[in-house]
Amino acid sequence: QVQLVESGGGLVQAGGSLRLSCAVFGSIFRIDYMGWYRQAPGKQRELVARMSGAGTTSYADAVKGRFTISRDGAKNTVSLEMSSLKPEDTAVYYCNLVDWGVDHWGQGTQVTVSS
């Protein structure tokens, strides 16, 4: 079974930076995508960034140029480097891994950006 454990969330001022990490445990036969979603209070969960098994990345328009997703295959981790943070980035961020079309989720980590 697959387990995702997130870390790195916290409180940061607008314009600051934060790095989220997600450790992946378990047997993975094929990774379709690894990425990050976020959900703000009263809002639907939205895709922030993802990386395919081949390394292709995609980003939500709202974070393009500010966020960078990366993966460390040897350590089985996926990270999200966030810079130029804005108050509207405030949300619970969830690590996501898709293995043969099956979604696996972390517990979420809170990111709060103050103005």
Side-chain angles (χ1 to χ4, degrees), residues 15-91:
S17 299
L18 204 61
R19 184 181 178 90
L20 306 181
S21 295
C22 175
V24 181
F25 302 90
S27 298
I28 305 297
F29 296 102
R30 171 173 175 164
I31 298 174
D32 293 331
Y33 296 98
M34 296 185 68
W36 294 87
Y37 287 74
R38 67 186 181 187
Q39 186 169 19
K43 304 291 185 179
Q44 293 186 335
R45 184 176 61 188
E46 63 178 353
L47 175 67
V48 177
R50 69 179 182 182
M51 176 180 288
S52 74
T56 302
T57 59
S58 61
Y59 297 89
D61 289 341
V63 308
K64 286 181 179 178
R66 300 189 297 118
F67 291 11
T68 302
I69 188 171
S70 62
R71 177 174 175 266
D72 186 332
K75 296 183 177 181
N76 294 319
T77 61
V78 60
S79 299
L80 184 69
E81 184 177 344
M82 304 181 292
S83 62
S84 300
L85 284 162
K86 305 174 181 180
E88 50 263 45
D89 294 319
T90 296

